[in-house]
Amino acid sequence: MTGELSPIDKAKFVAAKKATDFVEDGMRVGLGTGSTAAWLVRCLGEMVREDGLRIKGVPTSTRTAELAREVGIEVISLDAAKWLDVTIDGADEFDGELNLIKGGGGALLQEKIVATASDQMVVIADIGKEVETLGAFPLPVEVVPFGWQTSQALIEETLVGMDVLGRSSTLRMNGDAPFITDEGNHILDLHLGRIGNPRQLAMVLNQIPGVVENGLFIDICDAVVIGYGDGRVEVRDINAGTVEEATLDFVETDNLFTDLAD
């Protein structure tokens, strides 16, 4: 399997594989959305099938739920779980304080709800997702369909007073139609270039009528597992102030995931 992966996919895989160390038998686990999170779900599915791991997974999107069931993970709702031991998810960007931009896959609302309902949130990412300052990746903002253009105008007007480089926004599309989230909402992608004060921006955006949630995850992430294309992996725990480094060996004949769609 891994012999056929690109370096960036190898990085995602080793990060996901290492993150399984945070999962123990009997846990209720938040399962993220996106390409890196999909690797995690597959790794956990292997542990369920091969090692008898017993966990209950709370997915952050319908596509994650489908993959989790496919690989043998028991899926339950957040209401049934009530509280989670850990959530493991990817990120579009993360900075040195483990502030995040998420929502590139369109699941930011469920992702934020699940992450904040957990004892611990762990981010898995390739090294290319680390930035000095958030904002190069467009910031997703979920808005209700009613009056979305008014919400967009209010957002762009608000950005004039924010510490950002750009102030334009675009409606996310799915072909010729607007992208629709699992909750039936739209997403506006804000092209900011640089976000000087992520905490302030996150608070201000959520005060705008029509805005449901934004993709800035502030003071939510506890640890990040960073994968590299050569198999190295780094675990940074912001609470403990520790950095752990390791190298994961690839098993070239491993066919675990070849029959699963990404």
Side-chain angles (χ1 to χ4, degrees):
M1 173 197 64
T2 52
E4 301 175 357
L5 295 179
S6 66
I8 191 168
D9 281 332
K10 288 180 180 179
K12 293 177 179 180
F13 170 73
V14 295
K17 188 70 173 177
K18 181 63 176 176
T20 62
D21 291 350
F22 288 89
V23 179
E24 300 177 3
D25 199 56
M27 278 188 168
R28 294 157 296 180
V29 182
L31 304 174
T33 295
S35 58
T36 311
W39 286 114
L40 170 81
V41 174
R42 294 166 180 173
C43 290
L44 290 176
E46 175 197 5
M47 295 168 68
V48 168
R49 298 189 307 271
E50 305 295 330
D51 304 327
L53 177 70
R54 296 169 299 172
I55 60 172
K56 296 182 187 296
V58 174
T60 55
S61 67
T62 54
R63 59 187 180 276
T64 296
E66 291 169 357
L67 178 59
R69 292 189 181 99
E70 183 178 348
V71 300
I73 297 173
E74 180 182 355
V75 172
I76 64 173
S77 68
L78 181 58
D79 287 336
K82 299 191 186 325
W83 195 258
L84 305 178
D85 297 288
V86 64
T87 288
I88 305 177
D89 202 350
D92 298 303
E93 285 185 348
F94 68 92
D95 65 15
E97 297 180 352
L98 302 194
N99 295 316
L100 321 170
I101 286 182
K102 289 181 52 55
L108 65 99
L109 179 56
Q110 288 191 22
E111 289 173 337
K112 189 173 283 191
I113 292 171
V114 169
T116 54
S118 307
D119 287 336
Q120 188 175 30
M121 184 200 183
V122 177
V123 160
I124 47 178
D126 60 89
I127 185 59
K129 302 297 174 59
E130 182 174 16
V131 296
E132 286 191 16
T133 304
L134 298 177
F137 190 92
L139 175 64
V141 177
E142 187 160 341
V143 297
V144 297
F146 176 80
W148 71 265
Q149 290 175 309
T150 299
S151 298
Q152 181 180 33
L154 289 170
I155 289 170
E156 292 183 352
E157 180 181 341
T158 299
L159 290 174
V160 173
M162 296 290 102
D163 185 6
V164 296
L165 286 181
R167 299 181 180 89
S168 66
S169 64
T170 54
L171 178 67
R172 187 177 300 184
M173 303 297 289
N174 183 13
D176 294 330
F179 176 87
I180 303 298
T181 69
D182 281 352
E183 289 74 37
N185 297 318
H186 295 334
I187 287 184
L188 295 172
D189 289 307
L190 311 188
H191 305 279
L192 307 178
R194 179 187 62 83
I195 302 172
N197 191 333
R199 187 184 309 277
Q200 180 190 43
L201 181 60
M203 294 176 62
V204 169
L205 285 173
N206 281 5
Q207 301 303 312
I208 296 174
V211 171
V212 180
E213 189 53 83
N214 69 83
L216 285 167
F217 283 51
I218 310 298
D219 297 334
I220 295 176
C221 178
D222 297 287
V224 60
V225 183
I226 306 167
Y228 295 79
D230 59 2
R232 290 181 297 128
V233 65
E234 180 181 331
V235 182
R236 300 180 194 170
D237 187 319
I238 195 167
N239 298 317
T242 58
V243 178
E244 173 191 348
E245 297 180 352
T247 300
L248 300 188
D249 293 328
F250 292 116
V251 181
E252 302 296 344
T253 58
D254 194 343
N255 296 314
L256 276 171
F257 311 136
T258 55
D259 59 341
L260 298 176
D262 194 1

